[in-house]
Amino acid sequence: MAKTLRQTDDGTARELEYVTDPDEQLEKKPGTRYGAAELGFRHYWYPAFLSRQLGKKPKSVMLLGENLVFVRANGRPYALFDRCVHRGMQLSEGKCWTEGTITCPYHGWTYRLRDGELIAALTDGPESAVVGKKGKGVRSYPVEERNGVIYVYMGDGNPPALEEDVPEELLKPEYVFEAVTSVWNSNWRPAVENGYDASHATYVHRYSLRWRTQFNLPPAWAGKVESQVEGKYLIQRRRGPFGFEANYPGFGLWPRHAWLRKALAKARKKFGPKGTPMIAGVRLPCLIVNHYSYYSHIRYSIPIDAKHTRNFQMLAGRFHGLKALAFRLQYWLWHRWVFHKWFNEGQDKWIVEHLDYSAPEQFFRPDSSIVQLRKYFEKNARTSDPIDGMKE
Ligand code: FES
Ligand SMILES: [Fe+2]
């Protein structure tokens, strides 16, 4: 096995066994569940919209490769398959003439939002023979609205309780959160993997204002990265020895210009909050969750189609009253721009969109995070569609 030199945080160089055992790699094989899940795992609740994004006007969205139309009626949201069974027109272009129905803009076939039943064909008269006929409705999807988010279940059979799938920070009333949605031009898997990737952050985000100002000195590397399943999450812990700066043979000193980070680290030691370091977790079906000292960052990376991902990023904290207000204010004045927009929507999005996810891979030591993530998805994904040749 190849060896490499590495400098530890006490400044000594040690020879260590290098990188990857090839058997440890989990490739993106089409024969695996994860490899085949180009359009995600269906049997989960997914956020579709923020409540504020949906009114009485029908709205289309593609999720998991399927076109849906959402509309609000009688104060609650509904979702139907966005295709008229008559000639295939998009229902989302239609109108809701009466509360609880949607009418196709082409020939006026009208569906009940609650269950997708065809209840009228306006251009064939009130006695139309197609009404009430089997197979003339469109599929309707279970929808729930909780704390400002609209969730949809697109799997088979009865959905599980929302609490089974959605982090408690988004459901329990003691939390407040703010959110931003966006679309990334990539498959959902590299987007999720990026959020759990143990070695990219100190390089990709090296100049981000977020890290430079959080009174912390993120180590440039860690001796070991471990993952383990804790409840519904796969949790990552970076273990020492940590390196903050080193001379690389043939290259020189890295990171460069570390004086500010060092000064901030000193200041933190003296004045900053003690508390836990950041904890990174991943969770089915497509969630990244990072816990910081007083808030959690939650990112859903939901497949739209094979090449696009819909991201919901939320910052959640356990606050109420004035503190909740202060948290929201801090989000809108700082975290939304510095963290969500610059750090994630800027730097991480850019990386993921420039990655060829179909390329063969060569792993190195920190990629144990990626291997463990893929194993976790492979083993734990809820599905009723076993891949051909795979044993359940
Ligand atoms: S296509 Fe919808 S009514 Fe004809
Ligand atoms: Fe990142």
Side-chain angles (χ1 to χ4, degrees), residues 185-228:
N185 296 320
S186 84
N187 188 254
W188 69 279
R189 290 167 298 186
V192 170
E193 289 178 8
N194 163 263
Y196 198 68
D197 181 308
S199 59
H200 84 285
T202 48
Y203 191 73
V204 171
H205 304 298
R206 63 192 179 276
Y207 297 133
S208 85
L209 197 55
R210 171 172 170 71
W211 271 19
R212 296 226 148 188
T213 54
Q214 76 175 144
F215 293 98
N216 205 347
L217 181 58
W221 70 85
K224 208 172 185 187
V225 180
E226 292 172 349
S227 289
Q228 67 184 68

Side-chain angles (χ1 to χ4, degrees), residues 116-308:
E117 278 297 301
L118 180 70
I119 56 158
L122 301 184
T123 53
D124 193 30
E127 309 290 323
S128 177
V130 293
V131 173
K133 272 220 173 126
K134 217 174 164 245
K136 294 293 180 196
V138 290
R139 179 173 177 183
S140 69
Y141 300 83
V143 172
E144 292 233 21
E145 185 168 30
R146 207 76 80 77
N147 286 355
V149 182
I150 297 166
Y151 298 89
V152 63
Y153 178 78
M154 298 170 68
D156 301 333
N158 289 328
L162 204 58
E163 286 74 10
E164 282 290 308
D165 288 357
V166 179
E168 64 168 21
E169 289 94 330
L170 306 182
L171 296 180
K172 292 200 166 163
E174 56 263 40
Y175 288 92
V176 287
F177 62 89
E178 290 290 340
V180 63
T181 57
S182 65
V183 174
W184 289 11
N185 296 320
S186 84
N187 188 254
W188 69 279
R189 290 167 298 186
V192 170
E193 289 178 8
N194 163 263
Y196 198 68
D197 181 308
S199 59
H200 84 285
T202 48
Y203 191 73
V204 171
H205 304 298
R206 63 192 179 276
Y207 297 133
S208 85
L209 197 55
R210 171 172 170 71
W211 271 19
R212 296 226 148 188
T213 54
Q214 76 175 144
F215 293 98
N216 205 347
L217 181 58
W221 70 85
K224 208 172 185 187
V225 180
E226 292 172 349
S227 289
Q228 67 184 68
V229 177
E230 292 179 17
K232 300 205 171 210
Y233 291 88
L234 181 70
I235 299 287
Q236 178 187 120
R237 288 195 174 82
R238 300 175 83 214
R239 307 262 189 226
F242 297 107
F244 293 88
E245 197 177 43
N247 250 315
Y248 290 71
F251 176 78
L253 188 69
W254 188 265
R256 291 182 183 149
H257 316 300
W259 61 269
L260 176 60
R261 294 194 308 145
K262 281 182 190 163
L264 290 172
K266 261 192 192 160
R268 178 191 170 92
K269 239 184 195 168
K270 231 172 165 181
F271 312 111
K274 300 296 171 244
T276 43
M278 189 268 279
I279 297 173
V282 69
R283 171 174 173 168
L284 276 155
C286 57
L287 274 149
I288 291 294
V289 180
N290 300 119
H291 298 292
Y292 297 89
S293 53
Y294 67 97
Y295 59 83
S296 300
H297 165 70
I298 297 166
R299 186 173 94 203
Y300 271 95
S301 290
I302 307 165
I304 296 174
D305 58 20
K307 294 195 168 140
H308 298 89

